[in-house]
Amino acid sequence: MKIPQHSPSSKKLLEDEEQCLKEPPSISKITTKKLAYIPLLFLIYFQVSGGPYGTEAMVGAGGPFYAILGIIIFPILWSVPESLITAELSTAFPGNGGFVIWTHQAFGPFWGFLIGFWKFLSAVINLSSYPLLCLNYIDPDLPVSSSSLPHYFLISVSTLFFSVLNFTGLPMVGYASITLGILSYLPFLVITTFAIPQIDPRKWALLGQKGRKKDWPLFFNTLFWNLNCWDNVSTLVVEGVSTPSKTLPKAFLSTGLITCFAHLIPLLASTGAMKIDLDDWVNGYYTEVGEQIVGKMFKRWVRIGAFLSGIGVFQSQLSSCSYQLLGMTELGLLPAIFSTRSKRFNTPWVGILISTVIPISVSYMKFRHVTSVVNVFYSLGMLVEFAAFIYLRMKFPDVERPYKVPVTKLRNLIAMCFIPFGFLLYVVCVGHPVVYLVVAFLTLLGVLWYFCMKIFQAKVWLDFNHVMKKLADYENLGYYDQIVK
């Protein structure tokens, strides 16, 4: 290929990029200690759920029967396809960017950036909900629950406190997740044990209450919010998982079973043993369940469990957010400063800081609006992600896939994605008008940000990683086209 003449500074830049061509651009050059299998399980567990805290609204919105049915069926219809797709694409197209890399390779840098923007906003706004959820379990007589300023101050301090552990690295977060997972679930084991003699199975068949309408948007938003985000672990695969092709499928299967039973067992116990008044079943009601089934003092233990669960979910999702920003920087979609690492712990501290400040800024929103905004952003990203999965199977059929979804025919792949795709469309379509306004406004900001970044790259106003641009221009093919070729 004939190389045109360049200025000395441009020539130096091209020489640096030619050196980068010798290595896959999306994979970090810095080696870090990998997660062991058990810490990985708990990290995924907190990515997806973190326990039954926050699921009470499902019972109030749809009744015990539909809540139980949702916990049983939804993981099969949604969690299994999402985790299988994540396992395949994470091993075929590895990198800190995870789903951003997949979409970038399928549809180009604009859609790669946009899905990264949607998913990042979904994750960081979601982070603000966990301090809020913890406050729902705090006694309403406390001053923080009745005064807005102490309430906001407590959320801000808690969020900053939760983020500290992430600076020490993924292994520390993983091992902390084991302790947090066990301790946060212990109250439900006690509740279940005390509830067994009192259970009346007929209560499980209760469809609702006379004169009380079902709130299906709240039901599905709560169900979806508590059992999604399986693909978030894709941003941690390169730096956190050993032999992903073997480890990820087993980890997803184990975590899926753990998560399903972790929700189902206390739900069966509490709805079967309690006198059902659906108006009582709102977020935080498990404290009352613990008090009525076990005893008054046990209410405090449920609150402590909720607090520990909130810490675990926050730590896990903050990790994926920060490494996603690192991956987007490696793709040249964000300025190089976003990839700045701690010299001591080798963690992306700028990404952690950004992913901490944004949740604090949106923590004043009502909890229901928080979950709805999170779900709409996440669903938009997943719609593109499912489309990218199908397209990459067609575009790169010969790329080595260390783990491959055991479905070969294209029509069967589309069928596998059909129900999750339809559910995503439903979640997008049942949002509150305020949610649509927020989503549209932030999406517009994201599009403007993308084109501003293009200008900054062209003008060399900021330092960017140009490797992916160079690779995309090479013989008009992308990086993985070169692998196939």
Side-chain angles (χ1 to χ4, degrees):
M1 181 184 295
K2 185 177 179 180
I3 301 177
Q5 297 297 316
H6 300 280
S7 65
S9 60
S10 299
K11 186 176 181 181
K12 178 64 169 61
L13 178 62
L14 286 175
E15 289 175 352
D16 292 341
E17 290 184 346
E18 289 292 343
Q19 179 65 28
C20 292
L21 285 174
K22 298 177 181 179
E23 300 179 7
S26 60
I27 300 178
S28 176
K29 303 174 188 177
I30 303 175
T31 57
T32 56
K33 187 177 179 180
K34 304 294 185 180
L35 286 163
Y37 184 71
I38 299 301
L40 176 63
L41 289 185
F42 279 89
L43 198 64
I44 299 174
Y45 170 74
F46 278 117
Q47 288 278 3
V48 176
S49 171
Y53 303 100
T55 61
E56 301 98 323
M58 289 170 49
V59 179
F65 176 79
Y66 289 109
I68 294 169
L69 190 65
I71 293 297
I72 295 173
I73 293 180
F74 187 77
I76 299 172
L77 299 180
W78 169 260
S79 300
V80 171
E82 185 187 13
S83 58
L84 288 175
I85 289 172
T86 300
E88 174 173 321
L89 294 179
S90 295
T91 54
F93 304 92
N96 288 318
F99 40 79
V100 179
I101 295 174
W102 316 336
T103 311
H104 186 284
Q105 287 298 318
F107 305 127
F110 173 78
W111 284 103
F113 175 86
L114 192 58
I115 192 176
F117 185 78
W118 281 337
K119 287 293 194 73
F120 179 75
L121 283 181
S122 171
V124 294
I125 294 175
N126 194 30
L127 289 176
S128 72
S129 66
Y130 295 105
L132 283 170
L133 181 60
C134 289
L135 287 183
N136 282 337
Y137 283 88
I138 293 178
D139 195 316
D141 293 333
L142 293 177
V144 294
S145 299
S146 58
S147 178
S148 58
L149 185 57
H151 180 93
Y152 184 78
F153 176 76
L154 181 61
I155 290 174
S156 302
V157 172
S158 300
T159 305
L160 290 171
F161 174 76
F162 291 170
S163 67
V164 172
L165 185 61
N166 264 263
F167 287 94
T168 62
L170 283 177
M172 284 296 296
V173 175
Y175 283 109
S177 296
I178 298 175
T179 303
L180 292 169
I182 294 173
L183 293 179
S184 65
Y185 196 72
L186 280 177
F188 293 102
L189 294 179
V190 176
I191 289 173
T192 301
T193 302
F194 276 78
I196 289 175
Q198 309 173 46
I199 290 176
D200 180 0
R202 292 174 297 181
K203 295 179 181 179
W204 298 337
L206 183 63
L207 299 177
Q209 288 180 190
K210 187 176 181 180
R212 194 177 192 279
K213 293 183 178 179
K214 291 181 173 58
D215 190 344
W216 292 119
L218 176 60
F219 177 87
F220 284 110
N221 268 313
T222 304
L223 181 63
F224 188 55
W225 182 76
N226 277 277
L227 292 170
N228 64 8
C229 297
W230 293 88
D231 62 327
N232 281 0
V233 75
S234 65
T235 64
L236 309 175
V237 168
V238 168
E239 301 205 26
V241 181
S242 300
T243 59
S245 60
K246 296 180 180 179
T247 304
L248 274 184
K250 292 191 295 184
F252 281 139
L253 176 61
S254 301
T255 309
L257 293 173
I258 292 171
T259 302
C260 182
F261 284 106
H263 284 75
L264 185 61
I265 291 173
L267 181 61
L268 290 171
S270 56
T271 55
M274 295 281 292
K275 181 180 179 181
I276 302 296
D277 184 350
L278 298 186
D279 291 329
D280 294 336
W281 284 84
V282 296
N283 290 323
Y285 186 62
Y286 268 126
T287 57
E288 301 298 327
V289 173
E291 180 180 15
Q292 293 186 38
I293 293 180
V294 182
K296 187 175 182 179
M297 293 300 296
F298 195 72
K299 193 174 186 177
R300 297 182 182 274
W301 289 103
V302 180
R303 291 181 190 145
I304 294 173
F307 183 76
L308 296 176
S309 176
I311 295 176
V313 177
F314 189 94
Q315 296 295 338
S316 178
Q317 296 201 358
L318 182 60
S319 295
S320 65
C321 289
S322 57
Y323 280 94
Q324 180 195 327
L325 292 182
L326 178 63
M328 293 179 71
T329 305
E330 292 171 348
L331 289 170
L333 298 175
L334 291 174
I337 191 173
F338 284 83
S339 64
T340 305
R341 291 179 181 256
S342 165
K343 293 183 179 179
R344 180 175 180 180
F345 299 110
N346 195 32
T347 50
W349 70 266
V350 172
I352 295 172
L353 182 62
I354 293 172
S355 303
T356 302
V357 171
I358 295 178
I360 293 176
S361 66
V362 299
S363 59
Y364 63 88
M365 296 177 66
K366 292 182 179 179
F367 186 79
R368 177 168 178 170
H369 286 169
V370 168
T371 57
S372 187
V373 169
V374 166
N375 286 344
V376 171
F377 271 128
Y378 185 82
S379 297
L380 290 172
M382 285 305 303
L383 287 170
V384 178
E385 191 174 312
F386 276 113
F389 169 68
I390 299 296
Y391 186 69
L392 286 171
R393 274 289 188 98
M394 297 186 296
K395 184 179 180 181
F396 301 122
D398 299 324
V399 165
E400 181 183 358
R401 289 169 167 82
Y403 173 81
K404 189 174 183 178
V405 176
V407 179
T408 55
K409 293 184 178 180
L410 182 62
R411 64 174 180 269
N412 293 335
L413 284 175
I414 295 174
M416 184 187 77
C417 299
F418 182 77
I419 293 179
F421 202 87
F423 183 78
L424 291 169
L425 289 176
Y426 173 81
V427 172
V428 171
C429 293
V430 297
H432 191 276
V434 173
V435 171
Y436 292 131
L437 183 63
V438 171
V439 170
F441 175 72
L442 293 177
T443 299
L444 178 61
L445 287 183
V447 173
L448 292 175
W449 173 266
Y450 172 79
F451 286 106
C452 284
M453 292 299 98
K454 298 287 285 185
I455 295 173
F456 292 165
Q457 282 183 327
K459 300 290 186 180
V460 199
W461 289 345
L462 291 174
D463 184 21
F464 282 83
N465 183 345
H466 293 273
V467 173
M468 286 305 294
K469 180 179 184 299
K470 179 76 176 178
L471 290 168
D473 291 341
Y474 181 63
E475 294 187 0
N476 296 319
L477 294 173
Y479 171 66
Y480 290 101
D481 296 79
Q482 293 299 317
I483 294 178
V484 176
K485 203 173 180 64

